[in-house]
């Protein structure tokens, strides 16, 4: 049967970047009828900056998206050309996956997935304005005057809102290089009372690989045994794997940059937007870290057949002729040909403190925002928001209770809570240090934390649920066995431990307790007791989970106590219409902040900058009184 477009969509998603694609797929998989509107369908899920997915803390987000039934991890696994697990010298809590992906194949596969998704229609058009009816978002109007009605709208506009590209002292309007900006939509948001600010980001020049002498440079290969992002993927990877090369800036590079700072738009006063603190331009690096003699530059292939190299580490907006001299000052790049210049881009963002925990705007009902429009930086942060905003939009359309992951459940919960509670004045990126409960929120256990929730929501299909169920059961069965098997300090057992380089037993231990020893892995235990031989042949992911659980069990128990205290405050709900002006004991500053954020619970109120412990005590006391009054009223009704 042909798929007939509805007269009124459940959801329109504006923008088909990483947030938009994840959102449109999630909403359609939840059974909603979705229209994904974008300037150019050929640029769907484009990798506008670096050809990579994941990285420090970002890998956590990708695996959580996957555990909830999202697409980014699967797409990266299918199109990855180099996989590395970062931070392997540290504990599992901060291990983070990163993949170089083919910049041509990644968007091509994502487009195919979107095109094949039932309930999802793709439309190539500019959404010039929102349709507003009865105080809520009711659809969009395209540049052709086409009115598309919907019950909710989700904006994932990336860097397109009044986007301006800077190369040296030249500038022109664009959403990114090769795409027009979205000015009319930005103007309308301002008219509707949205608090818009300017941010800035940038990217590197792209180099013709044939013009580089890579034979002189150190190579950087991926892991010998690559780790997949998705809990469904089975490796080895499908595509040939490639290496990157490492070069460095030189004294000549730094001298050249300093001599031309007057032509850098940021230093010449041409850019007013705030840039990313943790992804500075090479100009910023040279100025801010003047004591450093050089900076690493990773030369990353953009794809198997692309022919271009992404020099990771030198984002710049210097004039093209200066970029050419700068690049040619790098070892191995003396004859480099720039196929596309680096540039900075300024764009509008909307204050995320104007959003609820489900990412719906408080300025306009039925309007949801996700991605760089909320002040974030990075594909992964955008995709995570897109997924959560889609869930929020579908639940709102259906009249269901909103869903919000809390900070103890997921990095995604930390991301959204940081944005809507604390806001951001600069491009926000995720770090493991932002998560208070990172010992529990590891990459490896994202499926154990979130797959059941994804199933409950309707995002996890039967295949994923079956795979997850087998893994979870295998882990629990094996852990039970490890906890039950007792090892006694016999001569033969201690000889076996000595052969493994481990200290002898002085008292009986369970196999699980022995597995906690530094350097001890599951396969070392198999010959120490006949009952443990049944664990031979467990899958690598299961064995890894058992080893990590053994080493982290004590830390996790302590963290569970902290989480329990955290959730006590999170469970104290605050009425959305609470009259903060009437609360005696609150300063004017605290009242204004509480009114702006409208925290959903006492825990969120406590995380608002400027809300003091004393103010929190006043609020807590008032909520306690409200609860007692409510109980008294209910008791009277019952009697």
């Amino acid at each position: 049967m042909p798929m007939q477009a509805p007269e009124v969509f459940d959801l329109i998603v504006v923008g088909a970047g990483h947030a938009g694609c994840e959102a449109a797929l999630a909403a359609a998989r939840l059974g909603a009828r979705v229209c994904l509107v974008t300037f150019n369908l050929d640029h769907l899920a484009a990798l506008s900056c670096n050809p990579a997915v994941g990285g420090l803390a970002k890998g956590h987000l990708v695996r959580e998206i996957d555990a909830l039934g999202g697409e980014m991890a699967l797409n990266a696994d299918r199109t990855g050309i180099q996989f590395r697990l970062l931070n392997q010298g540290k504990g599992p809590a901060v291990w983070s996956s990163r993949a170089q992906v083919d910049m041509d194949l990644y968007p091509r596969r994502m487009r195919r997935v979107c095109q094949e998704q039932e309930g999802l229609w793709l439309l190539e058009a500019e959404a010039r304005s929102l349709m507003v009816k009865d105080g809520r978002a009711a659809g969009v109007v395209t540049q052709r005057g086409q009115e598309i009605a919907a019950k909710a709208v989700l904006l994932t506009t990336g860097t397109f809102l009044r986007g301006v590209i800077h190369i040296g002292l030249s500038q022109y309007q664009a959403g990114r290089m090769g795409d027009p900006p979205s000015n009319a939509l930005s103007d309308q948001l301002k008219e509707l009372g949205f608090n818009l600010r300017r941010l800035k980001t940038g990217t590197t020049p792209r180099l013709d690989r044939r013009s580089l002498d890579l034979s002189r440079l150190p190579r950087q290969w991926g892991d010998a045994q690559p780790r997949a992002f998705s809990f469904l993927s089975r490796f080895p990877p499908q595509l040939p794997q490639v290496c990157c090369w490492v070069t460095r800036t030189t004294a000549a590079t730094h001298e050249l940059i300093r001599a031309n700072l007057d032509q850098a738009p940021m230093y010449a006063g041409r850019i007013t937007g705030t840039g990313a603190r943790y992804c500075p331009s090479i100009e910023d690096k040279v100025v801010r870290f003047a004591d450093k003699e050089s900076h690493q530059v990773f030369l990353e292939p953009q794809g198997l057949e692309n022919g271009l190299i992404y020099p990771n580490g030198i984002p710049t907006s210097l004039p093209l002729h200066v970029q050419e001299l700068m690049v040619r000052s790098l070892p191995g790049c003396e004859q480099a040909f720039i196929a596309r210049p680096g540039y900075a881009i300024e764009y509008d963002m909307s204050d995320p403190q104007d959003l609820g925990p489900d990412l719906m705007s408080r300025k306009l009902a039925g309007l949801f925002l996700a991605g760089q429009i909320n002040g974030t930086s990075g594909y992964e942060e955008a995709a995570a928001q897109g997924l959560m905003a889609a869930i929020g939009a579908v639940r709102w359309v259906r009249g269901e209770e909103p869903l919000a992951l809390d900070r103890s459940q997921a990095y995604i919960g930390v991301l959204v809570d940081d944005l809507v509670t604390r806001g951001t004045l600069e491009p926000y990126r995720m770090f493991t240090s932002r998560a208070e409960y990172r010992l529990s929120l590891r990459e490896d256990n994202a499926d154990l934390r979130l797959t059941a929730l994804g199933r409950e929501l309707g995002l996890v299909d039967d295949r994923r649920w079956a795979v997850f169920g087998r893994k979870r059961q295998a882990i629990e069965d094996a852990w039970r066995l490890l906890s039950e098997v007792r090892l006694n300090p016999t001569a033969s057992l201690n000889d076996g431990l000595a052969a493994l380089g481990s200290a002898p037993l002085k008292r009986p231990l369970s196999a699980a307790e022995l597995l906690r020893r530094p350097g001890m892995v599951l396969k070392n235990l198999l010959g120490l007791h006949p009952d443990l031989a049944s664990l031979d042949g467990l899958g690598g992911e299961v064995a890894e989970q058992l080893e990590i659980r053994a080493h982290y069990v004590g830390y996790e128990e302590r963290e569970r106590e902290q989480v329990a205290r955290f959730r006590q405050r999170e469970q104290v709900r605050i009425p959305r219409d609470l009259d903060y002006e009437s609360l005696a004991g609150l300063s004017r500053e605290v009242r204004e902040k509480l009114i702006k954020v409208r925290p959903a619970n006492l825990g969120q109120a406590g995380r608002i900058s400027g809300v003091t412990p004393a103010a929190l005590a006043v609020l807590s006391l008032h909520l306690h009184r409200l609860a007692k009054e409510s109980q008294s009223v209910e008791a009277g009704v019952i009697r």
Side-chain angles (χ1 to χ4, degrees):
M1 289 288 291
M3 192 170 72
Q4 183 177 355
E7 291 186 9
V8 179
F9 287 94
D10 294 310
L11 177 66
I12 293 174
V13 179
V14 177
H18 302 280
C21 289
E22 209 66 64
L25 287 169
R29 288 167 179 171
L30 288 172
R33 298 165 301 173
V34 184
C35 183
L36 178 59
V37 183
T38 183
F39 273 112
N40 190 334
L41 287 174
D42 291 334
H43 295 171
L44 186 145
L47 298 155
S48 305
C49 194
N50 62 314
V53 170
L56 298 177
K58 293 171 178 282
H60 290 69
L61 291 173
V62 179
R63 293 205 117 202
E64 289 179 351
I65 291 168
D66 181 68
L68 287 167
E71 194 64 32
M72 176 174 261
L74 283 167
N75 213 52
D77 288 344
R78 300 296 189 275
T79 60
I81 55 178
Q82 187 193 94
F83 293 84
R84 294 178 63 213
L85 182 61
L86 309 180
N87 269 350
Q88 292 187 64
K90 300 180 180 180
V94 293
W95 290 351
S96 292
S97 297
R98 183 182 189 271
Q100 289 280 128
V101 296
D102 189 300
M103 280 188 103
D104 300 316
L105 298 180
Y106 185 95
R108 190 182 306 165
R109 182 188 177 276
M110 187 67 85
R111 176 174 176 174
R112 186 173 68 251
V113 171
C114 289
Q115 286 175 326
E116 293 173 355
Q117 176 60 52
E118 185 179 354
L120 174 57
W121 285 261
L122 307 183
L123 176 65
E124 188 170 88
E126 177 190 357
R128 290 187 62 84
S129 63
L130 296 168
M131 295 164 56
V132 179
K133 185 177 180 181
D134 298 327
R136 57 183 281 179
V140 301
V141 181
T142 72
Q143 83 279 16
R144 295 185 288 269
Q146 180 184 8
E147 294 187 353
I148 309 169
K151 298 173 184 176
V153 178
L154 169 54
L155 298 183
T156 65
T157 49
T159 59
F160 280 65
L161 293 183
R162 289 203 304 125
V164 175
I165 281 179
H166 296 264
I167 303 175
L169 301 183
S170 300
Q171 62 185 54
Y172 62 92
Q173 295 187 352
R176 62 175 163 231
M177 189 167 283
D179 283 311
S182 181
N183 293 337
L185 187 56
S186 188
D187 292 341
Q188 185 192 23
L189 290 175
K190 193 169 185 179
E191 290 172 5
L192 289 170
F194 281 71
N195 299 308
L196 302 184
R197 295 197 298 269
R198 299 289 276 175
L199 291 184
K200 167 247 167 188
T201 189
T203 189
T204 72
R206 307 305 201 270
L207 312 180
D208 189 319
R209 178 172 176 164
R210 298 169 301 176
S211 66
L212 308 180
D213 184 3
L214 300 172
S215 63
R216 299 166 42 196
L217 302 177
R219 296 187 172 200
Q220 183 187 67
W221 287 95
D223 294 339
Q225 295 182 314
R227 177 192 186 99
F229 272 114
S230 176
F231 293 98
L232 286 181
S233 295
R234 292 293 174 263
F235 270 14
Q238 296 180 359
L239 297 179
Q241 299 297 284
V242 303
C243 73
C244 300
W245 294 266
V246 185
T247 186
R248 303 191 71 93
T249 60
T250 63
T253 313
H254 296 194
E255 183 179 348
L256 178 70
I257 290 169
R258 292 191 189 99
N260 287 279
L261 283 176
D262 61 332
Q263 298 185 70
M266 179 65 78
Y267 289 89
R270 296 294 186 93
I271 292 177
T272 59
T274 305
R277 179 194 307 262
Y278 302 106
C279 188
S281 66
I282 187 61
E283 299 95 279
D284 282 342
K285 287 182 184 178
V286 169
V287 172
R288 287 164 51 187
F289 308 108
D291 57 321
K292 275 189 157 292
E293 294 182 358
S294 70
H295 299 277
Q296 273 192 326
V297 180
F298 298 92
L299 303 177
E300 302 173 344
Q302 291 201 161
L304 298 175
E305 300 178 2
N306 186 282
L308 297 182
I309 293 289
Y310 179 92
N312 193 341
I314 56 167
T316 183
S317 56
L318 288 164
L320 178 56
H321 72 279
V322 180
Q323 291 188 35
E324 289 174 338
L325 295 172
M326 177 187 69
V327 169
R328 290 172 183 171
S329 70
L330 307 178
C333 303
E334 291 83 357
Q335 305 300 319
F337 179 80
I338 294 180
R340 195 182 90 181
Y343 62 87
I345 184 166
E346 279 187 288
Y347 56 95
D348 283 348
M349 65 158 284
S350 177
D351 186 350
Q353 286 185 296
D354 292 334
L355 301 172
D358 59 353
L359 298 179
M360 186 171 77
S361 171
R362 295 197 182 95
K363 301 287 185 181
L364 183 62
L367 181 65
F368 294 75
L369 308 181
Q372 284 176 286
I373 191 173
N374 289 338
T376 58
S377 172
Y379 309 145
E380 304 80 6
E381 289 88 344
Q385 291 174 74
L387 179 71
M388 296 310 296
I391 294 170
V394 172
R395 292 177 75 84
W396 183 80
V397 165
R398 293 174 177 170
E400 298 172 354
E401 284 294 310
L403 169 78
L405 296 175
D406 70 42
R407 302 179 72 89
S408 69
Q409 288 178 285
Y411 272 79
I412 296 176
V414 174
L415 166 66
V416 173
D417 185 66
D418 277 352
L419 291 173
V420 304
T421 303
R422 297 167 176 164
T424 185
L425 298 176
E426 61 188 51
Y428 174 105
R429 69 156 293 176
M430 180 52 68
F431 292 103
T432 54
S433 58
R434 295 190 189 273
E436 302 92 325
Y437 310 112
R438 58 185 170 274
L439 294 182
S440 302
L441 305 183
R442 304 185 307 273
E443 251 201 21
D444 61 87
N445 68 5
D447 58 340
L448 298 172
R449 290 185 279 115
L450 297 172
T451 304
L453 175 61
R455 180 68 172 182
E456 181 183 334
L457 292 169
L459 285 171
V460 169
D461 61 21
D462 291 344
R463 174 173 171 253
R464 181 183 290 275
W465 186 242
V467 170
F468 168 71
R470 289 193 292 271
K471 175 184 173 181
R472 181 172 58 178
Q473 192 62 54
I475 292 169
E476 294 308 317
D477 290 346
W479 185 255
R480 189 179 304 109
L481 178 63
L482 289 169
S483 302
E484 291 173 353
V485 169
R486 305 295 295 178
L487 300 172
N488 297 308
T490 63
S492 61
L493 186 130
N494 283 335
D495 287 345
L497 290 174
L500 295 171
S502 190
L505 286 189
K506 295 182 179 179
R507 62 181 179 84
L509 290 179
S510 70
E513 291 173 309
L514 186 60
L515 190 56
R516 294 179 198 173
R517 286 188 172 185
M520 188 66 71
V521 294
L522 185 65
K523 66 179 180 181
N524 294 153
L525 303 182
L526 303 183
L528 299 180
H529 192 284
D531 290 348
L532 297 177
S534 63
L535 300 181
D536 191 15
L538 282 178
E541 283 189 351
V542 174
E544 180 185 73
Q545 272 299 301
L546 295 169
E547 292 162 2
I548 292 174
R549 181 182 288 192
H551 289 112
Y552 272 70
V553 64
Y555 300 110
E556 288 186 339
E557 285 175 0
R558 287 195 291 273
E559 196 159 89
R560 274 195 289 272
E561 294 173 1
Q562 297 170 4
V563 168
R565 290 193 293 271
F566 159 79
R567 286 188 171 163
Q568 283 180 344
R569 280 189 171 180
E570 299 295 300
Q571 289 169 1
V572 181
R573 310 297 295 175
I574 299 177
R576 181 165 172 72
D577 59 352
L578 182 64
D579 183 8
Y580 291 103
E581 294 287 4
S582 67
L583 294 189
L586 295 182
S587 69
R588 168 55 53 188
E589 177 191 3
V590 168
R591 283 196 185 99
E592 289 175 353
K593 290 186 174 183
L594 290 169
I595 290 170
K596 177 178 176 59
V597 176
R598 288 282 167 189
N601 55 61
L602 194 62
Q604 187 185 4
R607 293 190 292 275
I608 299 172
S609 175
V611 176
T612 63
L616 207 61
V618 170
L619 182 57
S620 177
L621 180 61
H622 181 73
L623 294 172
H624 180 68
R625 287 172 181 163
L626 285 179
K628 287 188 71 175
E629 290 172 6
S630 176
Q631 289 171 0
S632 298
V633 170
E634 288 178 4
V637 170
I638 292 171
R639 286 196 294 270

